[in-house]
Each structure stands twice: as C-alpha cells, then as structure tokens.
Amino acid sequence: MADLLALLQPVVSDRESLQEFIEDLEDLAPGIENDIAALRRSPTDRALIASLFRSLHTIKGDAAICKVEVGVLICHPIESLLSRCRDGEVVFSALLAEVVLLALDRLELTVEALNTGRAIAHLKLPELVSGMEGMATAHGDEIAARAARTIEAVTGFKPVQAGSEALTVATHAAPADLAVDLRFFRSLALQLETRSPLFKGRTDRLLRLALDTNAVAGNPVDASQLEAAVYMHDVGMMFTPESVWLKVGKLTDEDKRQLREHPGHAAGLLERMRDWAAASEMVAQHHEMPDGGGYPAGMLATAICPGAKILAIVDAFEAVTLKHSHRGQTRSLVRAIAEINACDNQFASEWIAPFNAVIRRMVEH
C-alpha cells in the first residue's frame, strides 16, 4: 500500500515547483482525455495506449521532479495498469477509462487544494490509490469488479452505464395563475440555449435535477418558485456581452465583474413581477457560498435561501460537464459527481445528500 500519510497529509516543500507541476498537468490533461475518448472507440489500439502511457509517465516524472509525491502515488498504479494493456494482457475497458479519468480529476483537485491551503481528506485518495493498486495486480477477469468498487468507494456511486445519463423532463402541476408566467420564463431559458450548441437541453436537465432534489428532501421549496428560478437564473447573461460569457479563455477582472452582475439582472425582473418574490431571491443568491466566498453579497449559509442552495448545486453540476468541452470531450458523469462532492465549501451540506440520491437513482436505474 502507498504511503498513507503522504495521501492524507501531503507536504508542499516548494511552492514554485508545485505551481510548475500544476501548469504541466494542465497542459497534459487535454491530451489524456482525448486519448481516452479515442480508446473508448478503439480499445485495442496499441498506439493510443502507448500515447496514454507516455502522458501518465510524464506526469509521474514531473511530479517526482517537482517533489509532488502525491502525484507519483496516484500515477504509479495507473502506469502499471496501462503497461498491462500495452502488453495485451488487459483490455482497455469503459470502467478502466472511468478510473483513469477519476484519478486525473482527483489529482487536479488535490494540487489545487494544496496550492490554496484547503483540506483534501474528502477526496478519498487512500481509497483511490489502494483500489488502483489492487486493479494493477488483479487477474484480468477481476479488474472490472475492482474498478467498480474503486469508483463507488471514492465517489459514493456505482459506475455509470452507457446511456444512463439520459434524462426525462420533470413536470409538476403549477397553479393556473402562474402557469402563463412559467411558460414565458421557459421561453427565455430556451432562447438562452440558442446562444451556444453546448447549452442544448440544459434547461430540462437543470429542471429535472432541481425538482427531484427538492422532492427527495420533502419539497421544502415551493416547486413553482423553484421552476421559475431554474428558467431565469442565467437569463441575466443575455444582458452581458457574448464575448464575455461565452469566452473560452481566461477571464479578465473586468470580465468577472460583468459576469457577477448577471444574477441581479434576472432577479430584478422577477422582483418587479407579482407572485415571484421567492424565485427572485433564489436567482439573486444562487452564486452565494456557505462560507461567504460567493457573490454578489458574500452571504453566509444561514442567510442563503434553500432554493438558491439547490440551484447552486445543479448549476455547478451542469457547468462541470461543460468546463472542459473545448478539449474535445465533455467530462464524464462520474467526474462531475466527484467534483461536486469534493467541493466542501461551495455548497450547502444539507442539500448534497438529496442531490446525491437523485444522481444515484439516475445512474443506477
């Protein structure tokens, strides 16, 4: 077993070297994701396996040079597994792909946390590394089961099955006097979707996740108000230059300032309409964070309304799946789940369990 202390309490001996490793990892990650996407289609392609092996070997070497021991510990068992794939002993399967992506995601989150002084215990690195070590030495017919157990141990979810991420549109019976407004709000959300092909279907995905998360918790938030908030929360983006909110590259300080105004635009519209005060509050607060690190008001957990807390989680979940789309491959559902559950200060803890229950039902049935 790898050094447990190094996984639970990694030491940063050189800040400059850590930053150098983070930059190297950012450069290599897109190629790894592209190779994995290609291997899903051609799992026996030796050239692709060799390319993926070289990338992981480079990350491991960079980690050693930069004295980021946790990077070496995470990469080593993956390297061993890929060596067996390269030798034809093991087939590169969809489950193996998910484990490699999960390990890459955990490594990214770990070095980001180390760079900012945040805790990493919730990332479950010992479970990840021990699971991968077991896979690296297991008989070929045992690897799939071990991979599934590793994914579940680290994320809390059974592996995603092909096609399981499909969603149906959630509906509820809105009062007749509100239904007309909701149809109008929905039309605005669908207009927002036309601004980018990446947004296609996001309204219905967000609506299903939000309403189901609320339902699992016993419907403490009025469903019609929550539906309106889902439709309207990003409509304010349309009052911001598209060159800013559709930007792929790094945002400037001015870009960030403009983006942070978008909740106020949509909340202001709702506030001026009869019957939608609660939805307005949700929209205004959906970028607030329990630790006070959000915007626009820097509110603490006790001041943020429940609907905004739900919206923050489902909106971030959707964003994570799109975050690296410019690399040529959308993040897998497992990786999105892992990242949401790893953000211990960004979301209200009381809503994580209901959200997880919804996702678990979605991916397991």
Side-chain angles (χ1 to χ4, degrees):
M1 171 64 190
D3 186 344
L4 185 61
L5 186 61
L7 292 172
L8 290 173
Q9 298 177 2
V11 175
V12 178
S13 57
D14 186 333
R15 287 283 172 187
E16 289 186 7
S17 293
L18 174 62
Q19 185 59 45
E20 182 180 343
F21 177 71
I22 291 172
E23 293 171 1
D24 291 342
L25 184 59
E26 288 175 350
D27 289 339
L28 289 165
I32 291 173
E33 292 186 347
N34 288 337
D35 282 346
I36 290 175
L39 277 167
R40 287 181 188 274
R41 298 187 295 270
S42 305
T44 60
D45 189 316
R46 297 289 183 87
L48 286 172
I49 293 170
S51 174
L52 183 58
F53 179 91
R54 286 194 298 271
S55 296
L56 267 299
H57 184 71
T58 300
I59 291 175
K60 178 182 170 182
D62 288 346
I65 293 171
C66 295
K67 300 179 181 179
V68 183
E69 185 181 2
V70 66
V72 177
L73 295 175
I74 290 174
C75 289
H76 182 70
I78 305 175
E79 194 178 53
S80 299
L81 276 165
L82 292 176
S83 178
R84 294 179 68 185
C85 292
R86 188 177 56 182
D87 294 341
E89 182 184 346
V90 173
V91 175
F92 191 89
S93 65
L95 278 173
L96 182 51
E98 290 296 346
V99 171
V100 176
L101 286 173
L102 179 59
L104 178 63
D105 204 49
R106 284 308 203 228
L107 179 55
E108 290 174 335
L109 290 169
T110 297
V111 294
E112 288 170 8
L114 292 176
N115 197 38
T116 55
R118 291 183 282 114
I120 65 165
H122 58 283
L123 297 178
K124 297 187 177 180
L125 298 184
E127 290 87 343
L128 174 66
V129 173
S130 65
M132 292 192 300
E133 287 178 340
M135 291 170 60
T137 58
H139 292 295
D141 57 357
E142 297 175 354
I143 290 178
R146 286 180 177 270
R149 289 198 296 270
T150 298
I151 292 170
E152 187 168 10
V154 176
T155 69
F157 297 89
K158 294 179 181 178
V160 181
Q161 299 300 316
S164 62
E165 61 269 37
L167 290 173
T168 56
V169 179
T171 59
H172 70 97
D177 57 337
L178 302 182
V180 173
D181 284 350
L182 285 173
R183 286 196 293 272
F184 172 64
F185 298 153
R186 179 177 174 81
S187 73
L188 294 179
L190 294 178
Q191 179 63 33
L192 180 69
E193 284 192 15
T194 66
R195 296 300 194 269
S196 170
L198 297 175
F199 295 165
K200 184 178 180 180
R202 77 186 292 267
T203 299
D204 289 336
R205 291 192 297 269
L206 291 171
L207 184 61
R208 172 64 181 270
L209 289 174
L211 292 181
D212 283 1
T213 298
N214 187 41
V216 167
N219 287 308
V221 179
D222 180 272
S224 294
Q225 297 291 327
L226 182 57
E227 181 177 353
V230 168
Y231 292 149
M232 294 293 289
H233 75 287
D234 274 345
V235 165
M237 288 290 195
M238 291 195 286
F239 296 94
T240 302
E242 289 190 2
S243 60
V244 173
W245 65 276
L246 294 177
K247 191 172 186 178
V248 172
K250 186 176 182 180
L251 297 175
T252 66
D253 289 342
E254 176 60 20
D255 293 338
K256 293 176 183 178
R257 184 194 66 76
Q258 292 188 61
L259 285 176
R260 290 187 174 200
E261 292 179 350
H262 84 270
H265 294 318
L269 292 173
L270 288 167
E271 186 180 27
R272 288 163 174 78
M273 297 179 68
R274 189 183 63 174
D275 299 324
W276 298 109
S280 174
E281 185 179 40
M282 295 177 206
V283 171
Q285 298 175 8
H286 79 278
H287 279 294
E288 301 289 353
M289 295 167 60
D291 66 354
Y295 65 86
M299 302 170 71
L300 293 173
T302 54
I304 304 170
C305 68
K309 294 175 179 178
I310 296 174
L311 193 52
I313 294 173
V314 301
D315 193 42
F317 180 80
E318 174 74 11
V320 168
T321 64
L322 298 177
K323 185 165 63 174
H324 294 304
S325 60
H326 62 282
R327 294 178 173 178
Q329 179 187 358
T330 304
R331 283 194 173 206
S332 70
L333 187 58
V334 165
R335 296 185 75 196
I337 294 166
E339 188 159 322
I340 292 299
N341 280 266
C343 295
D344 56 338
N345 67 330
Q346 188 174 348
F347 308 114
S349 58
E350 69 269 25
W351 284 103
I352 290 293
F355 172 76
N356 283 345
V358 170
I359 297 297
R360 182 176 293 109
R361 184 173 62 194
M362 184 177 78
V363 302
E364 294 180 4
H365 298 288

